[in-house]
Amino acid sequence: MSTTHVFHRSLRATPAVAVRGQGAWLYDSAGRAYLDGSGGAAVSCLGHNHPDVQAAMHAQIDQLAYAHTSFFTTEVAERLADNLVQHAPAGTSHAYFVSGGSEAVEAALKMARQYFVEIGQPQRRHIIARRQSYHGNTLGALAVGGNEWRREQFKPLLIDVTHVSPCYEYRDRRDDETPEAYGERLARELDDTITRLGADSVMAFVAEPVVGATAGALTPVPGYFRRIREVCDRYGVLLIADEVMCGMGRTGTLYAVEQEQVVPDLITIAKGLGGGYQPIGAVMAQEKIVAAMSAGTGFFQHGHTYLGHATACAAALAVQNVIQRDGLLQRVRDQGAGLRERLQATLGEHPHVGDIRGRGLFMGVELVADRATKQTFDPQLSLHARIKREAMSRGLMVYPMGGTIDGQRGDHVLLAPPFIISDDELDQLTERLAGAIDAAIAQTRS
Ligand SMILES: Cc1ncc(COP(=O)(O)O)c(C=O)c1O
């Protein structure tokens, strides 16, 4: 298909044409079937073509597809916000609807800034985030993210953000350190960084509770986020949890932070919110943030044309209703345990699998050249890209990435299958993944 006019992600290769989806499967125009082992990029939580979501979208379109939010609200946006707030961490009072994850992060950053202006602390401007994180590709979100290769060429355009260490137990916890002590050390690093920048000039700390694409389902050590919350509270810094990828049930609880027993000030969500049926994201805001704006300026100085898009809200409401009705959070925990067992059984002793990690149906497999030394494969080999190709040729979608450690070195595969995945499909996922990994590694030797 050399005549494409679509500005594709790759300008050298046009991807296969997707024509149909059903459950955990996608089909291309040549009739090939692909098991969606990564939900695209951790998006398709209900799989494809879910009848209840389709029906809700059809009903909404027949009634009203869209109305601009500077003129109207819609019933469906109101009901979605009610539903989300009802199930959100304590103190959450409002949902601000946008069209995706990057927009959610941008909105959260501006909310944090406006909050401090409203409460008479306009000197607060510094943002601290973590290396080996991803918060989106718009300039503000890209600046906050700690994904070096994504940032590199755009650095001259990025606002100044300070980055601290990720919570990366497999590589960074010292042998003489307990997981808790490691978490303490990282919290101290944040504390020191805030003090160095000037405690009353720091606005927010931004982190993914479970790191997604950049480092492959990195889970925090026990107590890490509680220590982080304490540090933020000590200095009046807002905690922004980016749950665009790990949220909305992916880790077995609706919000990943629930398992950390902390309440962030702002939470960004997107992917699993609409499950890919429509582009939608949101910022879940604590009451104190909204109250400050309400008592002050009276509005949040932000906005996009498609805020609160009615059809997108209808899709998201239907997705959330299905998750609740069908008990899918429990299913994520059950199938997640099944996926972990299968990965351990198939890859646990693999000479080139260094770590299998994650939570719920959000799992990462880190590849190493040598298990004992944790030495990575030569980045020139692009092992991650080979694994993706080999997986696709076996009818499996997974989400591999390179630069796991520092943007250059390291390879991992991220798995995020639909919550509805069956045992048989989990078997196929694991077998095909193991085959793809072996074939990709074999290529690097030929
Ligand atoms: C944690 C996180 N934040 C933000 C984003 C950006 O979301 P979007 O691609 O919808 O703009 C992503 C996308 O992968 C993400 O994983």
Side-chain angles (χ1 to χ4, degrees), residues 41 100-103 105 134-137 208 213 242 244-245 270-271 399:
S102 302
E103 280 189 13
V105 170
Y134 181 57
H135 297 296
N137 257 335
E208 296 167 79
D242 183 353
V244 164
M245 197 176 250
K271 297 170 184 275
Y399 197 24

Side-chain angles (χ1 to χ4, degrees), residues 58 127 136 292 295 307 324 404 429:
H58 285 146
I127 302 165
L307 287 190
Q324 287 149 21
T404 314
L429 191 170

Side-chain angles (χ1 to χ4, degrees), residues 404-428:
T404 314
I405 303 175
D406 55 8
Q408 296 280 327
R409 294 172 304 137
D411 300 89
H412 67 263
V413 181
L414 187 66
L415 303 172
F419 303 172
I420 49 135
I421 194 162
S422 68
D423 289 347
D424 177 53
E425 287 162 342
L426 284 178
D427 288 340
Q428 295 184 55

Side-chain angles (χ1 to χ4, degrees), residues 37 65 138 143-144 220 297 389 423 440:
T138 49
V144 171
T297 311
R389 270 197 305 276
D423 289 347

Side-chain angles (χ1 to χ4, degrees), residues 346-409:
T346 316
L347 296 171
E349 299 303 320
H350 193 287
H352 297 296
V353 170
D355 194 25
I356 298 172
R357 56 185 175 239
R359 234 177 237 172
L361 283 173
F362 197 39
M363 296 294 295
V365 176
E366 184 167 337
L367 287 314
V368 286
D370 183 299
R371 272 172 80 117
T373 61
K374 302 184 183 176
Q375 174 66 38
T376 61
F377 281 89
D378 180 351
Q380 300 294 331
L381 295 170
S382 290
L383 180 64
H384 58 98
R386 293 173 193 271
I387 293 174
K388 183 170 179 183
R389 270 197 305 276
E390 287 297 325
M392 283 296 273
S393 77
R394 286 166 172 74
L396 174 67
M397 293 161 60
V398 291
Y399 197 24
M401 194 75 84
T404 314
I405 303 175
D406 55 8
Q408 296 280 327
R409 294 172 304 137

Side-chain angles (χ1 to χ4, degrees), residues 34 78 143 215-216 304 316 418 422 429:
Y34 303 85
E78 296 293 335
H304 296 289
S422 68
L429 191 170

Side-chain angles (χ1 to χ4, degrees), residues 115-134:
Y115 167 73
F116 284 117
V117 173
E118 302 280 9
I119 64 168
Q121 299 184 28
Q123 79 285 358
R124 287 199 190 257
R125 63 193 172 85
H126 289 301
I127 302 165
I128 304 174
R130 301 188 301 182
R131 294 190 293 278
Q132 294 313 99
S133 61
Y134 181 57

